[in-house]
Amino acid sequence: MQRMKFRGYKLLFENRSAAESMVRQIDEFPSFFTPEHDRPLIIDCGANIGVSVLEWKTRWPGAEIVCFEPDPFAFKILQANIDVNDIPSVRCINAAVSDCDETVPFYGDVSARGDARGNSIDPAWGQREGTAQTRVKCKRLSSYIGDRDVSFLKLDIEGAEQRVLSEIAGQLDRVAAIYVEVHETDDSNVYNSADQIEQLLCDAGFHVEAESRFDEHALPAHLDAWKQSVGARQVQLLGWR
């Protein structure tokens, strides 16, 4: 396993291109809220190898973080990054968040040195020519929120955003700020739509800012032709109260 320095931490990784892209992407991650106290609860759905977790711990060292990552290889590195840096108050869960508690197909570049960006339980987003398939556990996010107040919820889950937000609709009033990266294709737009998700967030009382994006760090460059063929789009939604 390789390593680099990030925010004073050791960042372990297997795929250098993916790791460097995620570091560049988190450098541009918007700061649009400030936690109300020193021990905010952050839920990171789609944590990959943990770059975002290290970023949150840099910004808010006392944060309690619950992070989800379904890819078995990315999860192994995520847990290693938490362990090697001896970071307290971080719980890593090897599962996808969804609207069910069961085992489902998972598609993408699923391998020890793979690039997990773009891997998904949604075949419209993750199933492409040459991709692998495995099975992963899904968890309902509602059971992890319960009756707790969430300072920040990040959803970067490659096409499952609307089903998760619908599942936790009754608990969204407990979330102070939210970041949703919506992943759409021409086929998946009927069940995972940025417009519908934005309306759901507005109905929950969030002030929402939307920005279409497909920056160079979002997905590997070799997927450019696939993006064109399926009409793949990403929309960044920022919500705060």
Side-chain angles (χ1 to χ4, degrees):
M1 197 174 295
Q2 303 177 68
R3 67 177 61 193
M4 68 174 77
K5 280 288 187 180
F6 175 70
R7 303 289 194 260
Y9 293 109
K10 299 172 185 175
L11 176 63
L12 307 179
F13 60 92
E14 289 285 7
N15 186 307
R16 178 172 290 277
S17 175
E20 290 177 345
S21 288
M22 285 184 281
V23 166
R24 289 193 294 269
Q25 189 174 25
I26 205 70
D27 278 340
E28 300 165 5
F29 193 90
S31 296
F32 61 99
F33 80 102
T34 301
E36 294 184 352
H37 51 83
D38 293 336
R39 292 188 56 81
L41 172 60
I42 297 173
I43 300 180
D44 185 351
C45 301
N48 206 294
I49 64 171
V51 174
S52 52
V53 177
L54 300 182
E55 176 70 18
W56 310 150
K57 276 294 188 176
T58 300
R59 296 188 189 186
W60 308 294
E64 176 188 353
I65 303 178
V66 180
C67 49
F68 295 85
E69 175 52 50
D71 184 288
F73 299 101
F75 179 82
K76 181 179 179 181
I77 301 173
L78 166 65
Q79 188 64 68
N81 276 318
I82 303 307
D83 293 342
V84 74
N85 290 291
D86 194 24
I87 302 176
S89 303
V90 176
R91 180 184 179 189
C92 302
I93 300 167
N94 188 196
V97 289
S98 187
D99 55 357
C100 62
D101 292 305
E102 57 187 48
T103 301
V104 301
F106 183 70
Y107 311 93
D109 185 3
V110 187
S111 63
R113 290 179 173 78
D115 187 338
R117 293 175 297 162
N119 293 0
S120 179
I121 62 174
D122 177 20
W125 191 268
Q127 191 174 35
R128 303 175 291 271
E129 183 178 356
T131 56
Q133 178 177 333
T134 187
R135 295 183 69 82
V136 299
K137 293 180 180 178
C138 285
K139 297 292 184 182
R140 288 185 176 92
L141 186 55
S142 58
S143 62
Y144 292 87
I145 296 176
D147 59 359
R148 305 180 71 189
D149 292 328
V150 180
S151 295
F152 181 52
L153 171 60
K154 171 198 155 207
L155 282 179
D156 185 2
I157 52 177
E158 314 298 325
E161 299 85 32
Q162 190 165 332
R163 72 180 81 172
V164 170
L165 289 167
S166 297
E167 197 269 325
I168 64 169
Q171 296 163 302
L172 282 173
D173 61 344
R174 293 192 167 276
V175 179
I178 188 168
Y179 170 89
V180 184
E181 190 164 291
V182 184
H183 301 75
E184 302 174 313
T185 68
D186 292 340
D187 289 339
S188 69
N189 186 58
V190 295
Y191 58 83
N192 199 70
S193 157
D195 289 341
Q196 293 181 51
I197 291 173
E198 183 174 357
Q199 187 60 57
L200 191 157
L201 295 178
C202 289
D203 291 345
F206 288 102
H207 302 285
V208 180
E209 178 180 302
E211 178 184 343
S212 296
R213 67 190 295 261
F214 229 137
D215 68 40
E216 60 182 319
H217 313 312
L219 285 173
H222 72 269
L223 295 181
D224 287 348
W226 167 81
K227 289 186 288 188
Q228 293 292 328
S229 68
V230 301
R233 301 174 294 279
Q234 287 175 273
V235 178
Q236 174 180 269
L237 299 177
L238 315 179
W240 65 93
R241 300 189 182 281

